[in-house]
Structures are given as C-alpha cells and as structure tokens.
Amino acid sequence: MYLEVVDPSSLLLTTPDLTLYEGDSATFQVQISVRPDPLPSDVIWQKDRITLPSHTAKYHVSRDGRRLTVQGITLSDEGEYRCKIKDTVFISDSSTLTVKRQLIVRARRKTVYTDLGESVVLQIDLSPAEAYQGSRVLWYREHDILTPDGTRVVSSEGNTVLTINQVMRKDMGLYQAAVTFDGVTRSAEIILRLYSGDGIKVEPVSAEVTARYGSYPVLGVT
C-alpha cells in the first residue's frame, strides 16, 4: 500500500471542473512531470477513486495515457476524476464532472391547418418531464412575442399548449415556442395555415416561411 500524495508539480490535471449535458463527451488531461517518464500503461484514470478501463466504447485513454475521454455521458458519469501513476505515491488533484439533462422541445404537429372562425391548438412536448414544471415558455408569431389574452388566445399546461379561438387570417404564419430550462433555451416551430372544405387553401405567409417550407405543402405531411 502506498501513501497517496497530491503533487501538482508531478501530476497536474489541466482540466477544470466541467458542466456538460447528457450525450456530450467529457475530456480530462494531465501533465506528467514524474521521472523517469512512466509507461502509458502505468497511467491510471479514476472516477470517485475507482479505476476506469482504458479502451471501451465508453472510456478512451490516449496512447500516451495523458488524456481520458468519456463518451456519451449520462447522469451516472457525474463525479470526481483524477489520474495516478501505478505503484507510486503520485496522484493528481480532481476535476468534478456535473451532468445536466438535455432539454428537448418538439412540436406535437409541425404544420397545423384550420378554418376561419374555428379554434386551433398548437402544442409542444418537453423532455425531461421535469421541464413541464420548471421551465419558462414564450410563444412568438413571426418572431414577435405573443401574449395570451385569456379569451381569444389562451395558454395552458404550463404554456406548452396555445389555443387560438375564432381564427382570423392574420393568425396564419410561423409560430415559435421558446423554452428555457436549467439555463438552456431550445425552441420548436409550428406553421399555421388555412384550408377550406374543398381542399387545401394556403394563405399567404411571410417570405421566410415560404422560402423555408414552400407555399403549397402536401396535405397530410406535417
């Protein structure tokens, strides 16, 4: 058994504490000044003082042993990472990895058709589930913020559902729901278009919508 000594002059972990998101990759690097220069196989990486494998789909250590990459991180990868030299007293200080959940915002339907005078619902889905309680949702129409009035335009379910009553021609266009959760903002887009009982009747919308999505979408393709 060896007495472990944190000695930055011998092993200096150059990676600061990291805060990343699920699915990202985390990389830790160390500068080694131990003499004689250790063999790459003698450079050991640990998480919470438990030795990690060096060549798996999850963990990859560079040929010289001085860099550890953790692929596709999850919440279980949170912890303290450090480096040590096998059969010596030398260890590095630690770098703490904090993993945040990835925010995903999806439109329930990307294109919604309606009639004048009808009511229409625009809805987004969020992941993780905690985002429904702890997020801030803002709706925009053609990039201008949309403020529900509680009568014709009504928001519900944490502002993830927007209901437009007595639809007018001016309501047609591009809608965006911007969601902020845990310091991250993501958005989803929904196009509202008009149709008649005889078939699709596309209302004129902004040049941006036309350029990005076309003037005459195929019925049923959303």
Side-chain angles (χ1 to χ4, degrees):
M1 179 180 290
Y2 293 87
L3 175 66
E4 295 180 333
V5 177
V6 177
D7 183 4
S9 66
S10 300
L11 275 82
L12 176 62
L13 195 65
T14 59
T15 304
D17 292 344
L18 298 176
T19 298
L20 300 172
Y21 293 90
E22 287 181 308
D24 289 344
S25 294
T27 299
F28 303 90
Q29 291 188 276
V30 66
Q31 291 180 356
I32 300 176
S33 303
V34 175
R35 293 294 179 266
D37 199 32
L39 295 172
S41 59
D42 289 336
V43 181
I44 298 173
W45 287 90
Q46 296 183 327
K47 172 184 175 287
D48 297 332
R49 298 179 179 270
I50 298 175
T51 298
L52 298 171
S54 57
H55 296 288
T56 67
K58 182 75 173 180
Y59 304 105
H60 177 75
V61 177
S62 61
R63 288 186 177 182
D64 61 5
R66 288 163 167 78
R67 184 175 66 254
L68 167 70
T69 300
V70 185
Q71 306 278 6
I73 60 174
T74 64
L75 294 177
S76 65
D77 293 312
E78 284 193 329
E80 293 189 347
Y81 290 76
R82 69 177 188 176
C83 181
K84 64 180 297 185
I85 304 301
K86 182 180 179 181
D87 296 335
T88 74
V89 300
F90 300 112
I91 64 171
S92 71
D93 52 354
S94 298
S95 175
T96 300
L97 172 62
T98 301
V99 181
K100 291 187 176 183
R101 292 187 174 182
Q102 188 71 267
L103 174 62
I104 300 174
V105 182
R106 292 191 178 95
R108 181 70 60 89
R109 295 173 61 192
K110 294 182 180 180
T111 305
V112 177
Y113 299 100
T114 187
D115 275 320
L116 293 177
E118 296 290 332
S119 295
V120 66
V121 174
L122 311 181
Q123 185 170 359
I124 57 172
D125 296 317
L126 307 180
S127 178
E130 290 84 352
Y132 283 97
Q133 300 298 324
S135 64
R136 178 171 179 260
V137 183
L138 295 177
W139 285 88
Y140 296 82
R141 180 187 171 279
E142 301 292 345
H143 304 295
D144 292 327
I145 193 165
L146 185 63
T147 303
D149 58 18
T151 303
R152 200 178 79 83
V153 181
V154 181
S155 66
S156 58
E157 297 185 30
N159 215 21
T160 60
V161 177
L162 188 71
T163 302
I164 303 174
N165 297 308
Q166 300 175 347
V167 170
M168 304 177 184
R169 293 183 187 276
K170 68 177 184 178
D171 296 321
M172 301 304 111
L174 176 66
Y175 288 77
Q176 295 171 307
V179 182
T180 301
F181 175 72
D182 202 14
V184 178
T185 300
R186 298 285 186 270
S187 64
E189 295 182 344
I190 302 174
I191 301 175
L192 181 59
R193 281 181 158 150
L194 190 66
Y195 71 88
S196 67
D198 297 329
I200 296 299
K201 177 184 177 183
V202 180
E203 274 302 298
V205 292
S206 69
E208 177 186 359
V209 173
T210 301
R212 292 170 60 183
Y213 300 100
S215 297
Y216 296 91
V218 178
L219 178 60
V221 177
T222 60

